[in-house]
Amino acid sequence: MHPSTEPTTGTWRQLLSTRYLGTATVLAGGVALYATNVYLTTSLLPTAIDQIGGQRYYAWTATVFLIASVISSMLVSNILAARGPRGAYLIGLMIFALGTVVCALSSTMELLLVGRTIQGAGGGLLAGLGYAVINAALPQHLWTRGAALVSAMWGVGTFAGPAIGGIFAQFGAWRMAFGVLVVAALAVAALVPKALPARTNETTETSPVPTLSLTLLTTAALLVSAAGVMSNLATTAVMVLAGVLLLVAFVAADRRAPHGVLPPSTFSASSLKWVYLTIVVLAVASTVETFIPLFGQRLAGLAPLAAGFLGAALALGWTLGEIPSASATAPHVVRRIVIGGPILVAAGLCTMAALLTDRAGAGAIAVWVVGLIVAGVGIGIAWPHLAVGAMTSVAEPGEGARASAAINTVQLIANAFGAALAGVLVNLGEPSTLRSAQLLLFTFAALALIGVTAAARSQRT
């Protein structure tokens, strides 16, 4: 129990004081590592494949990372209960560092994929622990500030990732960029013993891992990813169809499971399933940013640093849209915002696709940036209201917390499938990078428009 004289909400000065600075650094640092790694990898990957080959597996670098993140994110509460905040963070950081070392030493794309899988396992833990440990590591009056600091690290990653990856890639030293991440991970790990408690005062609940659901999801995502490297169109189509059928099987299995990936209200008459489906559409659309640095280098001749920041334009739009949208409260305004989100995503992606050309000049690149920012704004304006919708659309009031926590899982799943599908589309367009880019952007724009129906249904009371 904290003294009653403490304020309800603490200040930034208190959070960043000597007493809590180490704790804040660890909580924020874990998520910053995850976020920075995402944009760092996309910015240096075009340079890496020029050296080690494996362009057909380009999308796999995102897919295997995200699949591993989904699986490890489901283990956060169990690892926290078994090892406590200190032990859980050290496990996450060491796994992440090991995977990053493998990436740095990779001589082939196959080895790089192994490193990315290990990275994803550690990264999923770090992303989940960043929020799960706040209440154990900080006093209650600093929880709000702590959560805001952790969330802000995604913005840091949006700029730090392209900057670090782009600069090293520009000088052909892409492996050193991963080295910087290893040093950063070890630095955060060095703070953990003093910054975090070994155990919490509260009992952390454990729950059975939904093995069947996760197996079906993982297999489905891997099938779609594998479809992207097949040279035969019929084989590709069959594998994608098989992936879709496994997704249907996942929904059926999760609906029957007592402890599934998704809360039970997802399968009730509530609007929660439409909230999640809208999140899926927006999250899938966001995965185009995985290929934007490649398109920037191949179609516009951009240097790796500039191409990296081009890839971060969608994330910038997401941030710009989310901040003002979060203050909207009137139901009719919120409804228009959520429905308008997928429309803006489609408009932005179509804008970029329409101006694609093999030797793009400054004017075309400027339009690409505008299109990506508009698409990002579409995601950003809808996101905070979808998060609130998940908490308020449950059939049982007690499921609100679980429905909210599942947003991160739904997003990771959608990202994994989005990256896999993007790989299929890009490889279908080969050997023309222009055709690949057009196929990816126009297809994902069409998916976003389909999502308008889900967005409208998510706003029904």
Side-chain angles (χ1 to χ4, degrees):
M1 181 74 67
H2 300 292
S4 59
T5 55
E6 289 186 344
T8 303
T9 301
T11 65
W12 287 111
R13 177 176 291 183
Q14 289 174 318
L15 179 64
L16 302 178
S17 66
T18 304
R19 183 177 179 182
Y20 299 114
L21 181 59
T23 303
T25 301
V26 170
L27 296 177
V31 175
L33 283 170
Y34 184 98
T36 300
N37 175 63
V38 169
Y39 295 100
L40 176 145
T41 304
T42 57
S43 63
L44 60 76
L45 200 53
T47 302
I49 61 174
D50 286 341
Q51 292 186 17
I52 66 176
Q55 181 171 330
R56 290 187 68 81
Y57 297 97
Y58 192 102
W60 280 49
T61 60
T63 303
V64 297
F65 178 88
L66 290 164
I67 289 174
S69 294
V70 171
I71 295 172
S72 64
S73 69
M74 299 297 296
L75 303 175
V76 168
S77 60
N78 290 358
I79 293 177
L80 195 55
R83 299 292 182 179
R86 187 181 300 167
Y89 251 99
L90 288 175
I91 290 171
L93 287 164
M94 291 303 102
I95 294 175
F96 180 84
L98 174 62
T100 307
V101 169
V102 174
C103 289
L105 299 178
S106 297
S107 57
T108 64
M109 178 59 86
E110 290 79 5
L111 189 54
L112 182 65
L113 291 176
V114 172
R116 289 289 286 163
T117 303
I118 300 172
Q119 264 193 333
L125 287 177
L126 294 177
L129 287 169
Y131 291 97
V133 175
I134 286 176
N135 63 342
L138 293 173
Q140 186 172 358
H141 68 281
L142 291 177
W143 288 358
T144 301
R145 298 293 187 188
L149 179 65
V150 169
S151 180
M153 291 304 102
W154 284 98
V156 172
T158 300
F159 292 96
I164 297 171
I167 288 173
F168 282 106
Q170 199 150 324
F171 291 101
W174 59 271
R175 298 177 191 277
M176 292 182 65
F178 284 120
V180 170
L181 279 184
V182 173
V183 173
L186 294 177
V188 174
L191 295 174
V192 169
K194 289 187 177 181
L196 298 180
R199 295 287 172 183
T200 63
N201 293 326
E202 299 177 0
T203 302
T204 304
E205 293 185 4
T206 61
S207 58
V209 177
T211 306
L212 177 59
S213 295
L214 288 175
T215 300
L216 290 169
L217 270 177
T218 300
T219 306
L222 289 176
L223 266 177
V224 177
S225 291
V229 299
M230 297 296 164
S231 55
N232 184 284
L233 184 59
T235 303
T236 298
V238 169
M239 294 182 75
V240 170
L241 177 60
V244 172
L245 292 176
L246 282 175
L247 270 181
V248 174
F250 155 73
V251 172
D254 211 56
R255 183 172 189 167
R256 294 193 300 268
H259 301 281
V261 173
L262 302 174
S265 288
T266 308
F267 309 105
S268 69
S270 74
S271 60
L272 183 60
K273 56 182 168 292
W274 299 112
V275 172
Y276 284 156
L277 188 56
T278 307
I279 289 173
V280 166
V281 168
L282 297 179
V284 166
S286 74
T287 59
V288 300
E289 65 187 4
T290 304
F291 285 90
I292 297 302
L294 178 67
F295 297 155
Q297 290 190 39
R298 299 284 170 83
L299 298 179
L302 293 177
L305 180 60
F309 278 108
L310 176 65
L314 188 144
L316 174 61
W318 185 329
T319 302
L320 293 175
E322 193 167 22
I323 294 173
S325 174
S327 62
T329 55
H332 68 283
V333 175
V334 170
R335 175 180 170 80
R336 290 172 184 170
I337 287 174
V338 173
I339 295 174
I343 295 174
L344 283 178
V345 171
L349 296 182
C350 283
T351 297
M352 179 177 179
L355 269 291
L356 288 171
T357 178
D358 268 321
R359 284 182 285 275
I365 294 171
V367 174
W368 295 358
V369 172
V370 171
L372 289 170
I373 289 177
V374 169
V377 167
I379 299 172
I381 62 173
W383 204 266
H385 303 293
L386 291 170
V388 172
M391 290 183 279
T392 58
S393 301
V394 293
E396 298 292 335
E399 287 186 21
R402 186 178 172 192
S404 178
I407 292 173
N408 182 59
T409 304
V410 171
Q411 182 183 355
L412 285 173
I413 292 170
N415 286 156
F417 277 93
L421 180 58
V424 171
L425 296 170
V426 168
N427 287 329
L428 283 176
E430 292 293 342
S432 168
T433 302
L434 176 60
R435 187 164 61 246
S436 293
Q438 291 171 332
L439 189 58
L440 172 61
L441 292 169
F442 279 129
T443 301
F444 275 27
L447 288 175
L449 285 178
I450 294 173
V452 174
T453 300
R457 287 176 177 248
S458 75
Q459 296 305 295
R460 291 181 179 175
T461 56

